[in-house]
Amino acid sequence: MTIATNPSRPATYRPSFTWDAHACLPLDEKTPESLLDEYVKGNVDYVCVNVGMDMNTIPHILRVIAAFRAKIAAHPDKYMQIDSFDDLAIAKQKGLLGVGFDLEGSVMLQDMPAMIPVFARLGVKQIHFAYNRNNSVAGGCHDVDMPLTDLGVEMVKSVNANGMIMDCSHTGRQSSLDIMRVSSKPVVFSHANPKVLGGHERCVDDEQIKACADTGGVIGICGFQRFIKSPNAPEVPDMIRHIKYAVDLVGVDHVGIGLDTMPEVAGCNDFPDGVDRSYYWPVASGYGPGAGGAAVFDPKKLPALADALIATGYSTDDVDKIMGENFIRVAKASW
């Protein structure tokens, strides 16, 4: 499938397709679907919404998936559940926001590669294997660096075989390199930033970015203040700084957008009772009360980002790639 590009450039450029590779809405069945309208206002065509992390139980994750699917289906005039690659073009043609799901971690897989096709059938289109901490499958970025386990190798093969995008965000350095070596499909960092600029443990170094590109994958530049290393809420120039670094390092075919937007909603709680927040978000790594740095680039500013990229000197073809076409290529190869 090719999504056509308008060859004429209007005063405000509308990319052929805008793809946000990761949104972290509250993991609560009460989360209002109206949060998706922030992406509509940013001319987003597809957004991948997190539906579970390593600390969430399977019943919790299933409730979140069921609630999101029901709310998307209840508004066919605004949203469309993306279950296949061809659905992307259908949603685009109808002017609907396409919505897919992702999982952050592998604890919910219960050490069973056979769980991956189960979640795939529920609309999970993307997964990484470790949410900040080590587990039986892979290492996390805030833990002792470890290789991908033998079980992890089987998990990668199952992801490749069952129509999901293989992600390495939040994953430890060695495990991410191992995943990219094992995978037969493109591997992405759906929401990450170059460590040279961001400096944080959650960022990825040049070797990881190059290994990602070598698989045919994409690094989705994250709009999270702590990882983009902005003194204030990230703005367009902050995003462009990270985009430019990655483009200069691996080329325009391997850079995209994954904002990691995290809105708070009164009455919604996505962190399970009894789980230590500081384990997954360690104070030593700059998290916790009073740490600051938790603002995220506003998805409504994505059209301004596209215009600014053109003003910076990127061609319309290059902007189309960065804003969405690169992730479309990965989806076509993976789904």
Side-chain angles (χ1 to χ4, degrees), residues 21-25 36 46-51 68 99-103:
H22 181 75
C24 208
L25 308 186
L36 294 172
Y46 173 81
V47 61
C48 194
V49 176
N50 172 240
V51 290
F68 269 129
V99 183
F101 301 144
D102 67 57
L103 289 171

Side-chain angles (χ1 to χ4, degrees), residues 159-160 162-166 185-186 329-335:
V159 168
N160 290 163
N162 286 288
M164 283 190 198
I165 293 173
M166 185 71 249
K185 302 287 180 67
R329 183 192 71 245
V330 171
K332 185 175 184 179
S334 303
W335 293 354

Side-chain angles (χ1 to χ4, degrees), residues 4 17 95 111 179 274 283:
F17 200 95
D111 291 344
I179 287 167
V283 173

Side-chain angles (χ1 to χ4, degrees), residues 86-334:
D86 289 343
D87 286 344
L88 292 170
I90 295 170
K92 174 74 173 179
Q93 183 180 26
K94 292 182 176 180
L96 304 175
L97 173 66
V99 183
F101 301 144
D102 67 57
L103 289 171
E104 296 194 281
S106 58
V107 173
M108 71 289 294
L109 302 178
Q110 299 289 286
D111 291 344
M112 294 176 61
M115 286 288 279
I116 288 172
V118 173
F119 279 110
R121 291 186 183 100
L122 296 176
V124 175
K125 311 304 294 177
Q126 177 177 290
I127 188 170
H128 61 254
F129 287 157
Y131 186 80
N132 292 347
R133 292 294 190 174
N134 295 354
N135 57 40
S136 61
V137 173
C141 63
H142 294 320
D143 214 323
V144 177
D145 199 27
M146 62 172 273
L148 186 69
T149 67
D150 290 344
L151 174 60
V153 172
E154 296 307 310
M155 290 291 192
V156 173
K157 293 177 180 178
S158 185
V159 168
N160 290 163
N162 286 288
M164 283 190 198
I165 293 173
M166 185 71 249
D167 189 5
C168 282
S169 305
H170 291 271
T171 307
R173 184 178 188 279
Q174 187 58 57
S175 286
S176 74
L177 294 172
D178 290 344
I179 287 167
M180 290 182 281
R181 175 180 52 80
V182 170
S183 180
S184 62
K185 302 287 180 67
V187 178
V188 306
F189 288 99
S190 66
H191 55 298
N193 296 78
K195 186 170 285 187
V196 167
L197 300 181
H200 196 272
E201 291 172 349
R202 247 279 281 129
C203 298
V204 290
D205 65 26
D206 287 3
E207 184 180 358
Q208 291 170 288
I209 295 171
K210 290 177 180 178
C212 171
D214 286 345
T215 72
V218 179
I219 174 171
I221 299 301
C222 174
F224 194 77
Q225 182 184 2
R226 186 174 293 122
F227 313 138
I228 211 167
K229 205 172 184 179
S230 168
N232 302 300
E235 296 291 346
V236 166
D238 301 304
M239 293 292 291
I240 289 181
R241 183 163 50 95
H242 284 254
I243 288 168
K244 182 180 185 304
Y245 183 87
V247 169
D248 288 347
L249 183 66
V250 293
V252 74
D253 291 335
H254 304 289
V255 182
I257 304 295
L259 294 182
D260 198 15
T261 314
M262 291 183 290
E264 292 186 4
V265 178
C268 291
N269 180 24
D270 58 8
F271 213 93
D273 293 337
V275 174
D276 182 5
R277 286 177 176 267
S278 66
Y279 174 70
Y280 287 99
W281 299 323
V283 173
S285 298
Y287 302 93
V296 185
F297 183 82
D298 187 341
K300 296 191 297 296
K301 296 180 180 178
L302 286 170
L305 175 61
D307 280 348
L309 286 167
I310 288 176
T312 301
Y314 290 91
S315 70
T316 55
D317 285 346
D318 287 348
V319 173
D320 287 347
K321 289 177 179 181
I322 293 166
M323 298 301 293
E325 292 286 355
N326 288 336
F327 272 116
I328 287 178
R329 183 192 71 245
V330 171
K332 185 175 184 179
S334 303

